[in-house]
Amino acid sequence: MQNRPRTSKEVKFCRLNLQPSFPIVLMQEDKWYSSFSAVTMVHFHNCLQIGYCETGKGYYLIDGNLYPYEQNSISIIPAKILHFCTSQMNTVSRWKWLYLDPIGLLSQLNPAQEQVLMSMLYGRIKVPYILSSADNEQIVRVIECIIREMAEKPPYYMETVRALTQVLVLFLVRSAGEEYATANKVEQTSLQIITPAIEWISMHYMDPVTIPHLAQLCHISPTHLRRMFRSIMDCTPLDYLQLTRLEAACTMLLHTDQSVLEIGAQAGFATGTSFTRQFKKAFGTTPGQWRIKMSKKAARG
């Protein structure tokens, strides 16, 4: 079932602070549940999210489409993908969530595996967002093992989690079948081509950026760069730059005492007015209002 819903009223960026040495966290407290509610807010993360539904059933709104889930379903939500989880009426769904940077977690990778992981992280790997346990028993069992290791932390759990994550990645790629492997060769090659632009934006988002400069880094024309970005990233290079700047601004708003004007400048926005306009367009509120709201939530725990 896939229906295009009405435009959501609010968008939130929920940043996960992952440890560079072991970039994966488990969230499983009792508060992580979903009851029936109207879609008034969607959110996105800066990392890969994997969910495991222990009980319940309902629908996930992911990137504008509805996907049904039930008990033992797995959700796989790449970074920067807008999503929202709601249960069926009179039903409570309880979830456990893994948030991870698979590239940082798996240090020993060959180039082909790293490209697959980049495709996964940026939402381009062709696997379903929702996986049923009946059709994906092996994947579900591996995720259950990762969750158990993260929850109990037995001896050598970090090494075990890394090994299980690599198995999970291979299962996900294989689940897409030979058709994916063939079709994705072109996409992976394209991703390799624009990777210099992606990496440059990640390191220099605060600096002035031009499309000709990014295209020069990739050794292609500006027109070709725009076309490849739309194909691979589902956005323009400037859209991706804007999102990266907004992510950085959110981090500074949450974790520094700098003024909104200073943060906008450090994130790369030309003027305070431009920063406020773009922030409000993305999140439905001003940077100052967002900071106050998030600070109050953090104080409540």
Side-chain angles (χ1 to χ4, degrees), residues 138-156:
Q138 289 178 312
I139 292 176
V140 172
R141 295 294 170 261
V142 171
I143 291 174
E144 287 177 334
C145 288
I146 294 174
I147 290 173
R148 187 163 54 249
E149 290 288 321
M150 292 292 296
E152 298 175 1
K153 294 182 170 56
Y156 307 110

Side-chain angles (χ1 to χ4, degrees), residues 221-233 235 237:
S221 69
T223 300
H224 194 189
L225 178 71
R226 293 188 185 94
R227 183 165 56 245
M228 293 182 72
F229 248 84
R230 285 193 177 278
S231 173
I232 300 300
M233 308 296 288
C235 65

Side-chain angles (χ1 to χ4, degrees), residues 165-184:
T165 301
Q166 184 140 20
V167 172
L168 172 63
V169 168
L170 294 175
F171 277 153
L172 289 173
V173 174
R174 192 170 68 183
S175 71
E178 294 182 2
E179 181 178 350
Y180 159 75
T182 300
N184 199 47

Side-chain angles (χ1 to χ4, degrees), residues 116-135:
V116 170
L117 284 176
M118 285 193 69
S119 294
M120 180 186 298
L121 193 61
Y122 288 106
R124 304 306 305 170
I125 191 169
K126 302 301 183 182
V127 297
Y129 290 125
I130 303 296
L131 303 176
S132 68
S133 59
D135 299 329

Side-chain angles (χ1 to χ4, degrees), residues 13-19 23-27 32 43-49 97-101 251 254-255:
F13 169 46
C14 301
R15 182 177 180 84
L16 277 296
N17 294 317
L18 303 179
Q19 295 296 323
I24 179 171
V25 296
L26 168 66
M27 295 187 180
W32 298 110
H43 64 280
F44 64 97
H45 303 288
N46 58 312
C47 58
L48 183 68
Q49 173 191 292
W97 310 99
L98 291 166
Y99 297 91
L100 64 151
D101 170 13
T251 300
L254 286 176
H255 300 293

Side-chain angles (χ1 to χ4, degrees), residues 6-225:
R6 294 180 181 178
T7 302
S8 300
K9 296 181 180 178
E10 186 178 3
V11 175
K12 290 185 178 179
F13 169 46
C14 301
R15 182 177 180 84
L16 277 296
N17 294 317
L18 303 179
Q19 295 296 323
S21 59
F22 191 58
I24 179 171
V25 296
L26 168 66
M27 295 187 180
Q28 60 172 349
E29 292 86 353
D30 289 341
K31 63 182 178 181
W32 298 110
Y33 66 89
S34 171
S35 55
F36 176 78
S37 60
V39 181
T40 58
M41 180 274 291
V42 291
H43 64 280
F44 64 97
H45 303 288
N46 58 312
C47 58
L48 183 68
Q49 173 191 292
I50 297 177
Y52 173 68
C53 180
E54 290 191 312
T55 60
K57 62 171 58 175
Y59 294 94
Y60 240 116
L61 174 65
I62 308 174
D63 202 22
N65 293 313
L66 288 176
Y67 299 84
Y69 70 81
E70 58 186 4
Q71 184 175 346
N72 297 329
S73 290
I74 296 295
S75 65
I76 301 175
I77 316 295
K80 301 181 176 66
I81 295 293
L82 295 175
H83 59 281
F84 179 84
C85 184
T86 185
S87 295
Q88 287 188 356
M89 191 172 293
N90 301 320
T91 301
V92 173
S93 302
R94 297 192 178 276
W95 288 80
K96 292 184 177 180
W97 310 99
L98 291 166
Y99 297 91
L100 64 151
D101 170 13
I103 294 177
L105 190 63
L106 304 177
S107 57
Q108 301 298 323
L109 296 172
N110 61 47
Q113 290 174 324
E114 186 168 341
Q115 287 302 316
V116 170
L117 284 176
M118 285 193 69
S119 294
M120 180 186 298
L121 193 61
Y122 288 106
R124 304 306 305 170
I125 191 169
K126 302 301 183 182
V127 297
Y129 290 125
I130 303 296
L131 303 176
S132 68
S133 59
D135 299 329
N136 302 274
E137 183 178 359
Q138 289 178 312
I139 292 176
V140 172
R141 295 294 170 261
V142 171
I143 291 174
E144 287 177 334
C145 288
I146 294 174
I147 290 173
R148 187 163 54 249
E149 290 288 321
M150 292 292 296
E152 298 175 1
K153 294 182 170 56
Y156 307 110
Y157 82 94
M158 290 186 178
E159 292 82 354
T160 304
V161 167
R162 293 183 197 276
L164 288 169
T165 301
Q166 184 140 20
V167 172
L168 172 63
V169 168
L170 294 175
F171 277 153
L172 289 173
V173 174
R174 192 170 68 183
S175 71
E178 294 182 2
E179 181 178 350
Y180 159 75
T182 300
N184 199 47
K185 285 180 180 178
V186 175
E187 187 168 284
Q188 287 187 23
T189 301
S190 299
L191 183 58
Q192 285 178 312
I193 292 173
I194 66 172
T195 292
I198 294 172
E199 292 178 344
W200 197 93
I201 289 173
S202 298
M203 296 295 293
H204 303 279
Y205 61 85
M206 69 293 295
D207 300 325
V209 179
T210 66
I211 296 298
H213 176 66
L214 294 177
Q216 186 178 21
L217 292 173
C218 301
H219 305 289
I220 56 179
S221 69
T223 300
H224 194 189
L225 178 71

